[in-house]
């Protein structure tokens, strides 16, 4: 093979991996450098294949060469990766919640058959894959367009912006997603699946369960709905804000107190179940909810107090110096 | 560290216009063997940083070569790096003499 052919092959292979903007120029340069190296060996005569191969080995593999000439090595680089993972988890969680919501709705509308169940699972998987693909695409674009700006973020970093190491103010995306999924499912159950008689009713279907809840319980549903929806909005707001601010904590405590009040009303009121036999079980569930709300309210108050006294301490220690 | 030293060596050699192969030869004659895959992309990066300027010129065998020359900015960087290198080198010399 002629040395020119070897060079063309090598240059094309490197060029294939180079960014568009300076590809032609780098290709031309590598070609010229290879010619120089060969000429120095053979003093202008046509080199043997072995000589060309040896020179190409010396230059290194096309992949390595391209990498050193600035071929991009990352789809989503180390600077963006942590943010990417947070957003990916959040988006996948939301898509999953919405899909499950859709499944519950469609089951409510018509009794499921086995082949429908497979279609539903397939649908959920493909919507998650699609959502993830879009997130990857957007981040890959940001990576291409905006890397210089991102590097600036790290150079303008201020140590004083570091949050305390043991940070309960930070919001966990996972917890938020779980909250959203379960709250949504419960809201759908209360408002869509239950009918006015407290039965599980399949809309358009010909099957309804026996009455589960008492008329008394059904009267609580608007209150329960408002409370649960408010908690969900608050959880998402905290996630978007990134941490539990004083205002968000106060709102959360208010909701917990409202939850305690509602649960107390339910516990002290008339039977919750349509049949007396089930009433104790229902009351146990409400009691658990009451205790959970109380625990959360106390926890939130404690953390509010902690973060206040900590920032107070920080101010005091600054004024010493 | 080696990359920083390479930058220093290349800037020092590019006081007169050099093309890739002549630069490699020049450095190797002074005992600095640098492989092609490291040296040539480095020239490109230094140009992107504004420390070198370059242009294609037709060489004697009517084949174009890319010639690199140090820029004023590169000159300033060279002076700064030289001072830094001499300081480091002195410090290390003293350390090594103490060892003996």
């Amino acid at each position: 093979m002629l040395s020119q052919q070897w060079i063309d092959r090598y240059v094309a292979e490197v060029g294939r991996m180079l960014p568009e903007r300076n590809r032609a120029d780098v290709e031309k340069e590598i070609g010229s450098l290879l010619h120089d190296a060969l000429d120095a060996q053979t003093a202008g005569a046509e080199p043997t294949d072995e000589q060309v191969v040896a020179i190409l080995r010396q230059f290194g593999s096309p992949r390595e060469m391209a990498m050193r000439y600035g071929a991009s090595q990352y789809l989503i680089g180390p600077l963006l990766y942590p943010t990417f993972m947070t957003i990916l988890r959040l988006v996948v969680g939301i898509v999953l919640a919405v899909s499950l919501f859709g499944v519950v709705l469609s089951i409510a509308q018509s009794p499921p058959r086995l082949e429908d169940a497979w279609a539903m699972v397939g649908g959920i998987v493909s919507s998650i894959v699609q959502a993830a693909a879009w997130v990857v695409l957007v981040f890959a674009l940001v990576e291409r367009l905006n890397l210089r700006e991102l590097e600036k973020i790290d150079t303008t970093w201020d140590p004083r912006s570091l949050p305390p190491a043991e940070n309960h103010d930070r919001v966990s995306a996972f917890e938020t997603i779980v909250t959203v999924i379960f709250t949504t499912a419960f809201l759908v159950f209360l408002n869509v699946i239950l009918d006015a008689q407290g039965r599980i009713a399949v809309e358009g279907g010909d099957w309804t369960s026996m009455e589960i809840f008492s008329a008394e319980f059904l009267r609580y549903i608007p209150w329960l709905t408002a409370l649960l929806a408010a908690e969900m909005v608050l959880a998402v707001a905290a996630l978007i804000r990134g941490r539990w601010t004083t205002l968000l904590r106060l709102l959360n405590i208010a909701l917990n107190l409202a939850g305690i009040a509602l649960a107390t009303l339910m516990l002290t009121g008339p039977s919750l179940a349509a049949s007396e036999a089930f009433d104790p079980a229902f009351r146990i569930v409400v009691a658990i909810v009451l205790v959970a709300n109380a625990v959360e309210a106390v926890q939130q108050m404690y953390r509010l107090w902690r973060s206040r006294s900590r920032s107070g301490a920080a101010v005091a220690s600054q004024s010493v110096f | 560290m080696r990359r920083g030293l390479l930058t220093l060596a290349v800037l020092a050699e590019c006081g007169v216009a050099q093309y890739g192969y002549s630069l490699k030869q020049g450095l190797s004659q002074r005992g600095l063997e640098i492989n092609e895959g490291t040296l040539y992309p480095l020239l490109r990066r230094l140009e992107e940083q504004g420390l070198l300027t370059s242009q294609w010129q037709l060489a004697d065998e009517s084949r174009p070569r890319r010639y690199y020359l140090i820029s004023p900015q590169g000159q300033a960087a060279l002076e700064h790096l030289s001072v830094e290198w001499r300081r480091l080198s002195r410090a290390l010399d003293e350390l090594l003499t103490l060892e003996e």
Side-chain angles (χ1 to χ4, degrees), chain A residues 68, chain B residues 1-14 23 27 32-35 37-40 42-43 45-46 52 78 81 85:
Chain A
R68 294 207 161 131
Chain B
M1 185 159 128
R2 198 174 139 78
R3 195 198 258 189
L5 294 184
L6 259 179
T7 303
L8 182 56
V10 167
L11 288 179
E13 279 286 300
C14 285
L23 183 63
L27 290 171
L32 283 170
E33 284 296 346
I34 302 160
N35 90 14
T38 306
L39 178 63
Y40 300 149
L42 176 68
L43 291 171
R45 270 202 303 279
L46 293 178
L52 294 178
L78 174 61
L81 283 172
W85 166 248

PDB file of all heavy atoms in Angstrom, chain A residues 68, chain B residues 1-14 23 27 32-35 37-40 42-43 45-46 52 78 81 85:
ATOM      1  N   ARG A  68      -6.716  13.676  22.364  1.00  0.00           N
ATOM      2  CA  ARG A  68      -5.774  14.744  22.737  1.00  0.00           C
ATOM      3  C   ARG A  68      -6.021  16.019  21.943  1.00  0.00           C
ATOM      4  O   ARG A  68      -5.718  17.105  22.401  1.00  0.00           O
ATOM      5  CB  ARG A  68      -4.349  14.264  22.522  1.00  0.00           C
ATOM      6  CG  ARG A  68      -4.020  13.137  23.483  1.00  0.00           C
ATOM      7  CD  ARG A  68      -2.556  13.100  23.764  1.00  0.00           C
ATOM      8  NE  ARG A  68      -2.296  12.358  24.980  1.00  0.00           N
ATOM      9  CZ  ARG A  68      -1.395  11.402  25.066  1.00  0.00           C
ATOM     10  NH1 ARG A  68      -0.672  11.091  24.015  1.00  0.00           N
ATOM     11  NH2 ARG A  68      -1.195  10.791  26.198  1.00  0.00           N
TER      12      ARG A  68
ATOM     13  N   MET B   1       2.465  17.815  36.319  1.00  0.00           N
ATOM     14  CA  MET B   1       3.681  18.625  36.384  1.00  0.00           C
ATOM     15  C   MET B   1       4.431  18.572  35.057  1.00  0.00           C
ATOM     16  O   MET B   1       4.871  19.588  34.535  1.00  0.00           O
ATOM     17  CB  MET B   1       4.577  18.102  37.504  1.00  0.00           C
ATOM     18  CG  MET B   1       5.805  18.961  37.722  1.00  0.00           C
ATOM     19  SD  MET B   1       6.510  18.721  39.355  1.00  0.00           S
ATOM     20  CE  MET B   1       8.201  18.373  38.946  1.00  0.00           C
ATOM     21  N   ARG B   2       4.502  17.341  34.471  1.00  0.00           N
ATOM     22  CA  ARG B   2       5.237  17.184  33.234  1.00  0.00           C
ATOM     23  C   ARG B   2       4.616  18.033  32.133  1.00  0.00           C
ATOM     24  O   ARG B   2       5.327  18.613  31.305  1.00  0.00           O
ATOM     25  CB  ARG B   2       5.254  15.717  32.819  1.00  0.00           C
ATOM     26  CG  ARG B   2       6.332  15.398  31.813  1.00  0.00           C
ATOM     27  CD  ARG B   2       6.419  13.921  31.544  1.00  0.00           C
ATOM     28  NE  ARG B   2       6.623  13.678  30.122  1.00  0.00           N
ATOM     29  CZ  ARG B   2       7.778  13.820  29.492  1.00  0.00           C
ATOM     30  NH1 ARG B   2       8.831  14.193  30.160  1.00  0.00           N
ATOM     31  NH2 ARG B   2       7.894  13.590  28.209  1.00  0.00           N
ATOM     32  N   ARG B   3       3.293  18.138  32.147  1.00  0.00           N
ATOM     33  CA  ARG B   3       2.629  18.915  31.117  1.00  0.00           C
ATOM     34  C   ARG B   3       3.026  20.391  31.204  1.00  0.00           C
ATOM     35  O   ARG B   3       3.254  21.053  30.200  1.00  0.00           O
ATOM     36  CB  ARG B   3       1.111  18.776  31.252  1.00  0.00           C
ATOM     37  CG  ARG B   3       0.413  19.248  30.003  1.00  0.00           C
ATOM     38  CD  ARG B   3      -1.041  19.516  30.289  1.00  0.00           C
ATOM     39  NE  ARG B   3      -1.876  18.440  29.818  1.00  0.00           N
ATOM     40  CZ  ARG B   3      -3.203  18.511  29.801  1.00  0.00           C
ATOM     41  NH1 ARG B   3      -3.801  19.580  30.255  1.00  0.00           N
ATOM     42  NH2 ARG B   3      -3.918  17.518  29.362  1.00  0.00           N
ATOM     43  N   GLY B   4       3.139  20.889  32.443  1.00  0.00           N
ATOM     44  CA  GLY B   4       3.552  22.273  32.642  1.00  0.00           C
ATOM     45  C   GLY B   4       4.966  22.503  32.127  1.00  0.00           C
ATOM     46  O   GLY B   4       5.253  23.516  31.484  1.00  0.00           O
ATOM     47  N   LEU B   5       5.831  21.522  32.368  1.00  0.00           N
ATOM     48  CA  LEU B   5       7.224  21.645  31.915  1.00  0.00           C
ATOM     49  C   LEU B   5       7.285  21.610  30.393  1.00  0.00           C
ATOM     50  O   LEU B   5       8.057  22.348  29.774  1.00  0.00           O
ATOM     51  CB  LEU B   5       8.064  20.501  32.485  1.00  0.00           C
ATOM     52  CG  LEU B   5       8.217  20.523  34.004  1.00  0.00           C
ATOM     53  CD1 LEU B   5       9.156  19.401  34.454  1.00  0.00           C
ATOM     54  CD2 LEU B   5       8.763  21.873  34.455  1.00  0.00           C
ATOM     55  N   LEU B   6       6.435  20.765  29.795  1.00  0.00           N
ATOM     56  CA  LEU B   6       6.389  20.683  28.338  1.00  0.00           C
ATOM     57  C   LEU B   6       5.982  22.022  27.735  1.00  0.00           C
ATOM     58  O   LEU B   6       6.576  22.473  26.748  1.00  0.00           O
ATOM     59  CB  LEU B   6       5.336  19.648  27.936  1.00  0.00           C
ATOM     60  CG  LEU B   6       5.864  18.296  27.528  1.00  0.00           C
ATOM     61  CD1 LEU B   6       4.723  17.379  27.176  1.00  0.00           C
ATOM     62  CD2 LEU B   6       6.780  18.483  26.334  1.00  0.00           C
ATOM     63  N   THR B   7       4.978  22.645  28.358  1.00  0.00           N
ATOM     64  CA  THR B   7       4.525  23.953  27.888  1.00  0.00           C
ATOM     65  C   THR B   7       5.694  24.935  27.907  1.00  0.00           C
ATOM     66  O   THR B   7       5.927  25.662  26.931  1.00  0.00           O
ATOM     67  CB  THR B   7       3.399  24.477  28.801  1.00  0.00           C
ATOM     68  OG1 THR B   7       2.360  23.509  28.806  1.00  0.00           O
ATOM     69  CG2 THR B   7       2.859  25.802  28.327  1.00  0.00           C
ATOM     70  N   LEU B   8       6.412  24.917  29.006  1.00  0.00           N
ATOM     71  CA  LEU B   8       7.565  25.813  29.150  1.00  0.00           C
ATOM     72  C   LEU B   8       8.582  25.561  28.031  1.00  0.00           C
ATOM     73  O   LEU B   8       9.061  26.496  27.375  1.00  0.00           O
ATOM     74  CB  LEU B   8       8.197  25.571  30.527  1.00  0.00           C
ATOM     75  CG  LEU B   8       9.394  26.416  30.924  1.00  0.00           C
ATOM     76  CD1 LEU B   8       9.078  27.895  30.833  1.00  0.00           C
ATOM     77  CD2 LEU B   8       9.825  26.062  32.351  1.00  0.00           C
ATOM     78  N   ALA B   9       8.908  24.294  27.793  1.00  0.00           N
ATOM     79  CA  ALA B   9       9.892  23.937  26.771  1.00  0.00           C
ATOM     80  C   ALA B   9       9.422  24.376  25.385  1.00  0.00           C
ATOM     81  O   ALA B   9      10.201  24.947  24.600  1.00  0.00           O
ATOM     82  CB  ALA B   9      10.138  22.430  26.791  1.00  0.00           C
ATOM     83  N   VAL B  10       8.142  24.135  25.090  1.00  0.00           N
ATOM     84  CA  VAL B  10       7.620  24.484  23.767  1.00  0.00           C
ATOM     85  C   VAL B  10       7.629  25.994  23.570  1.00  0.00           C
ATOM     86  O   VAL B  10       8.062  26.493  22.522  1.00  0.00           O
ATOM     87  CB  VAL B  10       6.186  23.917  23.588  1.00  0.00           C
ATOM     88  CG1 VAL B  10       5.525  24.521  22.371  1.00  0.00           C
ATOM     89  CG2 VAL B  10       6.227  22.409  23.479  1.00  0.00           C
ATOM     90  N   LEU B  11       7.202  26.738  24.583  1.00  0.00           N
ATOM     91  CA  LEU B  11       7.193  28.202  24.471  1.00  0.00           C
ATOM     92  C   LEU B  11       8.614  28.723  24.238  1.00  0.00           C
ATOM     93  O   LEU B  11       8.833  29.620  23.434  1.00  0.00           O
ATOM     94  CB  LEU B  11       6.598  28.838  25.732  1.00  0.00           C
ATOM     95  CG  LEU B  11       5.086  28.690  25.916  1.00  0.00           C
ATOM     96  CD1 LEU B  11       4.641  29.349  27.218  1.00  0.00           C
ATOM     97  CD2 LEU B  11       4.322  29.278  24.739  1.00  0.00           C
ATOM     98  N   ALA B  12       9.566  28.129  24.950  1.00  0.00           N
ATOM     99  CA  ALA B  12      10.957  28.572  24.816  1.00  0.00           C
ATOM    100  C   ALA B  12      11.479  28.288  23.405  1.00  0.00           C
ATOM    101  O   ALA B  12      12.211  29.093  22.829  1.00  0.00           O
ATOM    102  CB  ALA B  12      11.828  27.879  25.861  1.00  0.00           C
ATOM    103  N   GLU B  13      11.076  27.166  22.815  1.00  0.00           N
ATOM    104  CA  GLU B  13      11.564  26.791  21.484  1.00  0.00           C
ATOM    105  C   GLU B  13      10.892  27.588  20.371  1.00  0.00           C
ATOM    106  O   GLU B  13      11.432  27.701  19.280  1.00  0.00           O
ATOM    107  CB  GLU B  13      11.304  25.297  21.236  1.00  0.00           C
ATOM    108  CG  GLU B  13      12.329  24.376  21.864  1.00  0.00           C
ATOM    109  CD  GLU B  13      13.664  24.393  21.096  1.00  0.00           C
ATOM    110  OE1 GLU B  13      13.707  24.059  19.900  1.00  0.00           O
ATOM    111  OE2 GLU B  13      14.660  24.764  21.734  1.00  0.00           O
ATOM    112  N   CYS B  14       9.685  28.093  20.639  1.00  0.00           N
ATOM    113  CA  CYS B  14       8.927  28.763  19.582  1.00  0.00           C
ATOM    114  C   CYS B  14       9.245  30.256  19.475  1.00  0.00           C
ATOM    115  O   CYS B  14       8.473  31.023  18.889  1.00  0.00           O
ATOM    116  CB  CYS B  14       7.426  28.549  19.757  1.00  0.00           C
ATOM    117  SG  CYS B  14       6.933  26.891  19.294  1.00  0.00           S
ATOM    118  N   LEU B  23      10.198  21.168  15.631  1.00  0.00           N
ATOM    119  CA  LEU B  23      10.115  21.381  17.079  1.00  0.00           C
ATOM    120  C   LEU B  23      10.455  20.098  17.828  1.00  0.00           C
ATOM    121  O   LEU B  23      11.229  20.093  18.792  1.00  0.00           O
ATOM    122  CB  LEU B  23       8.687  21.838  17.441  1.00  0.00           C
ATOM    123  CG  LEU B  23       8.455  22.175  18.897  1.00  0.00           C
ATOM    124  CD1 LEU B  23       9.313  23.352  19.330  1.00  0.00           C
ATOM    125  CD2 LEU B  23       6.989  22.491  19.137  1.00  0.00           C
ATOM    126  N   LEU B  27      13.663  19.673  20.337  1.00  0.00           N
ATOM    127  CA  LEU B  27      13.531  19.259  21.737  1.00  0.00           C
ATOM    128  C   LEU B  27      14.306  17.967  21.979  1.00  0.00           C
ATOM    129  O   LEU B  27      14.955  17.799  23.009  1.00  0.00           O
ATOM    130  CB  LEU B  27      12.055  19.072  22.102  1.00  0.00           C
ATOM    131  CG  LEU B  27      11.224  20.365  22.189  1.00  0.00           C
ATOM    132  CD1 LEU B  27       9.742  20.042  22.326  1.00  0.00           C
ATOM    133  CD2 LEU B  27      11.690  21.218  23.367  1.00  0.00           C
ATOM    134  N   LEU B  32      15.010  16.097  25.299  1.00  0.00           N
ATOM    135  CA  LEU B  32      13.595  16.020  25.687  1.00  0.00           C
ATOM    136  C   LEU B  32      12.835  15.218  24.632  1.00  0.00           C
ATOM    137  O   LEU B  32      12.442  15.762  23.603  1.00  0.00           O
ATOM    138  CB  LEU B  32      12.988  17.417  25.804  1.00  0.00           C
ATOM    139  CG  LEU B  32      13.316  18.219  27.051  1.00  0.00           C
ATOM    140  CD1 LEU B  32      12.837  19.665  26.908  1.00  0.00           C
ATOM    141  CD2 LEU B  32      12.689  17.579  28.282  1.00  0.00           C
ATOM    142  N   GLU B  33      12.664  13.922  24.885  1.00  0.00           N
ATOM    143  CA  GLU B  33      11.922  13.081  23.941  1.00  0.00           C
ATOM    144  C   GLU B  33      10.435  13.170  24.268  1.00  0.00           C
ATOM    145  O   GLU B  33      10.010  12.779  25.351  1.00  0.00           O
ATOM    146  CB  GLU B  33      12.384  11.626  24.042  1.00  0.00           C
ATOM    147  CG  GLU B  33      13.724  11.336  23.381  1.00  0.00           C
ATOM    148  CD  GLU B  33      13.712  11.544  21.854  1.00  0.00           C
ATOM    149  OE1 GLU B  33      12.608  11.657  21.264  1.00  0.00           O
ATOM    150  OE2 GLU B  33      14.808  11.596  21.270  1.00  0.00           O
ATOM    151  N   ILE B  34       9.694  13.717  23.334  1.00  0.00           N
ATOM    152  CA  ILE B  34       8.256  13.824  23.574  1.00  0.00           C
ATOM    153  C   ILE B  34       7.534  13.145  22.435  1.00  0.00           C
ATOM    154  O   ILE B  34       7.851  13.399  21.267  1.00  0.00           O
ATOM    155  CB  ILE B  34       7.821  15.296  23.613  1.00  0.00           C
ATOM    156  CG1 ILE B  34       8.607  16.027  24.702  1.00  0.00           C
ATOM    157  CG2 ILE B  34       6.330  15.409  23.887  1.00  0.00           C
ATOM    158  CD1 ILE B  34       8.614  17.495  24.512  1.00  0.00           C
ATOM    159  N   ASN B  35       6.584  12.280  22.757  1.00  0.00           N
ATOM    160  CA  ASN B  35       5.978  11.582  21.627  1.00  0.00           C
ATOM    161  C   ASN B  35       4.965  12.447  20.891  1.00  0.00           C
ATOM    162  O   ASN B  35       4.436  13.418  21.422  1.00  0.00           O
ATOM    163  CB  ASN B  35       5.492  10.183  22.030  1.00  0.00           C
ATOM    164  CG  ASN B  35       4.073  10.148  22.523  1.00  0.00           C
ATOM    165  OD1 ASN B  35       3.305  11.096  22.351  1.00  0.00           O
ATOM    166  ND2 ASN B  35       3.723   9.048  23.123  1.00  0.00           N
ATOM    167  N   GLY B  37       1.984  12.108  19.849  1.00  0.00           N
ATOM    168  CA  GLY B  37       0.599  12.206  20.330  1.00  0.00           C
ATOM    169  C   GLY B  37       0.439  13.202  21.461  1.00  0.00           C
ATOM    170  O   GLY B  37      -0.671  13.636  21.756  1.00  0.00           O
ATOM    171  N   THR B  38       1.552  13.555  22.116  1.00  0.00           N
ATOM    172  CA  THR B  38       1.488  14.543  23.193  1.00  0.00           C
ATOM    173  C   THR B  38       1.837  15.933  22.675  1.00  0.00           C
ATOM    174  O   THR B  38       1.144  16.908  22.956  1.00  0.00           O
ATOM    175  CB  THR B  38       2.473  14.163  24.321  1.00  0.00           C
ATOM    176  OG1 THR B  38       2.189  12.833  24.723  1.00  0.00           O
ATOM    177  CG2 THR B  38       2.339  15.092  25.504  1.00  0.00           C
ATOM    178  N   LEU B  39       2.921  15.979  21.896  1.00  0.00           N
ATOM    179  CA  LEU B  39       3.454  17.280  21.484  1.00  0.00           C
ATOM    180  C   LEU B  39       2.513  18.025  20.534  1.00  0.00           C
ATOM    181  O   LEU B  39       2.204  19.190  20.761  1.00  0.00           O
ATOM    182  CB  LEU B  39       4.820  17.072  20.818  1.00  0.00           C
ATOM    183  CG  LEU B  39       5.486  18.352  20.300  1.00  0.00           C
ATOM    184  CD1 LEU B  39       5.782  19.314  21.442  1.00  0.00           C
ATOM    185  CD2 LEU B  39       6.760  18.029  19.527  1.00  0.00           C
ATOM    186  N   TYR B  40       2.049  17.349  19.474  1.00  0.00           N
ATOM    187  CA  TYR B  40       1.298  18.064  18.445  1.00  0.00           C
ATOM    188  C   TYR B  40      -0.038  18.608  18.946  1.00  0.00           C
ATOM    189  O   TYR B  40      -0.355  19.776  18.689  1.00  0.00           O
ATOM    190  CB  TYR B  40       1.152  17.179  17.194  1.00  0.00           C
ATOM    191  CG  TYR B  40       2.503  16.797  16.605  1.00  0.00           C
ATOM    192  CD1 TYR B  40       2.699  15.599  15.940  1.00  0.00           C
ATOM    193  CD2 TYR B  40       3.591  17.670  16.716  1.00  0.00           C
ATOM    194  CE1 TYR B  40       3.940  15.247  15.414  1.00  0.00           C
ATOM    195  CE2 TYR B  40       4.839  17.336  16.198  1.00  0.00           C
ATOM    196  CZ  TYR B  40       5.017  16.120  15.551  1.00  0.00           C
ATOM    197  OH  TYR B  40       6.243  15.788  15.039  1.00  0.00           O
ATOM    198  N   LEU B  42      -0.606  19.492  21.900  1.00  0.00           N
ATOM    199  CA  LEU B  42      -0.269  20.568  22.842  1.00  0.00           C
ATOM    200  C   LEU B  42      -0.117  21.903  22.095  1.00  0.00           C
ATOM    201  O   LEU B  42      -0.571  22.942  22.568  1.00  0.00           O
ATOM    202  CB  LEU B  42       1.021  20.210  23.586  1.00  0.00           C
ATOM    203  CG  LEU B  42       1.546  21.297  24.537  1.00  0.00           C
ATOM    204  CD1 LEU B  42       0.605  21.472  25.725  1.00  0.00           C
ATOM    205  CD2 LEU B  42       2.953  20.980  25.035  1.00  0.00           C
ATOM    206  N   LEU B  43       0.505  21.840  20.906  1.00  0.00           N
ATOM    207  CA  LEU B  43       0.687  23.071  20.107  1.00  0.00           C
ATOM    208  C   LEU B  43      -0.676  23.710  19.838  1.00  0.00           C
ATOM    209  O   LEU B  43      -0.857  24.918  19.964  1.00  0.00           O
ATOM    210  CB  LEU B  43       1.366  22.734  18.771  1.00  0.00           C
ATOM    211  CG  LEU B  43       2.826  22.292  18.874  1.00  0.00           C
ATOM    212  CD1 LEU B  43       3.317  21.788  17.524  1.00  0.00           C
ATOM    213  CD2 LEU B  43       3.692  23.449  19.358  1.00  0.00           C
ATOM    214  N   ARG B  45      -3.426  23.350  21.547  1.00  0.00           N
ATOM    215  CA  ARG B  45      -4.040  23.899  22.761  1.00  0.00           C
ATOM    216  C   ARG B  45      -3.413  25.240  23.130  1.00  0.00           C
ATOM    217  O   ARG B  45      -4.097  26.175  23.535  1.00  0.00           O
ATOM    218  CB  ARG B  45      -3.885  22.919  23.929  1.00  0.00           C
ATOM    219  CG  ARG B  45      -5.032  21.930  24.040  1.00  0.00           C
ATOM    220  CD  ARG B  45      -5.135  21.370  25.442  1.00  0.00           C
ATOM    221  NE  ARG B  45      -3.890  20.730  25.865  1.00  0.00           N
ATOM    222  CZ  ARG B  45      -3.536  19.491  25.525  1.00  0.00           C
ATOM    223  NH1 ARG B  45      -4.347  18.769  24.776  1.00  0.00           N
ATOM    224  NH2 ARG B  45      -2.404  18.966  25.923  1.00  0.00           N
ATOM    225  N   LEU B  46      -2.079  25.318  22.990  1.00  0.00           N
ATOM    226  CA  LEU B  46      -1.410  26.581  23.331  1.00  0.00           C
ATOM    227  C   LEU B  46      -1.865  27.685  22.390  1.00  0.00           C
ATOM    228  O   LEU B  46      -2.001  28.841  22.793  1.00  0.00           O
ATOM    229  CB  LEU B  46       0.115  26.404  23.261  1.00  0.00           C
ATOM    230  CG  LEU B  46       0.691  25.472  24.321  1.00  0.00           C
ATOM    231  CD1 LEU B  46       2.199  25.324  24.150  1.00  0.00           C
ATOM    232  CD2 LEU B  46       0.371  25.971  25.727  1.00  0.00           C
ATOM    233  N   LEU B  52       0.441  30.849  21.467  1.00  0.00           N
ATOM    234  CA  LEU B  52       1.157  30.695  20.191  1.00  0.00           C
ATOM    235  C   LEU B  52       0.269  31.225  19.078  1.00  0.00           C
ATOM    236  O   LEU B  52      -0.954  31.247  19.209  1.00  0.00           O
ATOM    237  CB  LEU B  52       1.456  29.213  19.907  1.00  0.00           C
ATOM    238  CG  LEU B  52       2.413  28.458  20.818  1.00  0.00           C
ATOM    239  CD1 LEU B  52       2.514  27.010  20.377  1.00  0.00           C
ATOM    240  CD2 LEU B  52       3.790  29.107  20.817  1.00  0.00           C
ATOM    241  N   LEU B  78       5.771  32.824  29.238  1.00  0.00           N
ATOM    242  CA  LEU B  78       7.089  32.185  29.276  1.00  0.00           C
ATOM    243  C   LEU B  78       7.946  32.777  30.397  1.00  0.00           C
ATOM    244  O   LEU B  78       8.574  32.044  31.168  1.00  0.00           O
ATOM    245  CB  LEU B  78       7.787  32.362  27.919  1.00  0.00           C
ATOM    246  CG  LEU B  78       9.226  31.875  27.826  1.00  0.00           C
ATOM    247  CD1 LEU B  78       9.297  30.368  28.092  1.00  0.00           C
ATOM    248  CD2 LEU B  78       9.825  32.197  26.464  1.00  0.00           C
ATOM    249  N   LEU B  81       6.549  31.606  33.734  1.00  0.00           N
ATOM    250  CA  LEU B  81       6.833  30.191  33.973  1.00  0.00           C
ATOM    251  C   LEU B  81       8.312  29.946  34.250  1.00  0.00           C
ATOM    252  O   LEU B  81       8.669  29.089  35.058  1.00  0.00           O
ATOM    253  CB  LEU B  81       6.401  29.354  32.768  1.00  0.00           C
ATOM    254  CG  LEU B  81       4.902  29.069  32.618  1.00  0.00           C
ATOM    255  CD1 LEU B  81       4.614  28.413  31.280  1.00  0.00           C
ATOM    256  CD2 LEU B  81       4.418  28.166  33.755  1.00  0.00           C
ATOM    257  N   TRP B  85       9.797  28.130  37.368  1.00  0.00           N
ATOM    258  CA  TRP B  85      10.614  26.930  37.209  1.00  0.00           C
ATOM    259  C   TRP B  85      11.959  27.060  37.926  1.00  0.00           C
ATOM    260  O   TRP B  85      12.414  26.156  38.610  1.00  0.00           O
ATOM    261  CB  TRP B  85      10.818  26.624  35.725  1.00  0.00           C
ATOM    262  CG  TRP B  85      11.909  25.627  35.504  1.00  0.00           C
ATOM    263  CD1 TRP B  85      13.116  25.848  34.927  1.00  0.00           C
ATOM    264  CD2 TRP B  85      11.893  24.255  35.907  1.00  0.00           C
ATOM    265  NE1 TRP B  85      13.866  24.710  34.941  1.00  0.00           N
ATOM    266  CE2 TRP B  85      13.138  23.718  35.536  1.00  0.00           C
ATOM    267  CE3 TRP B  85      10.964  23.441  36.552  1.00  0.00           C
ATOM    268  CZ2 TRP B  85      13.476  22.384  35.788  1.00  0.00           C
ATOM    269  CZ3 TRP B  85      11.303  22.125  36.788  1.00  0.00           C
ATOM    270  CH2 TRP B  85      12.544  21.614  36.405  1.00  0.00           C
TER     271      TRP B  85
END
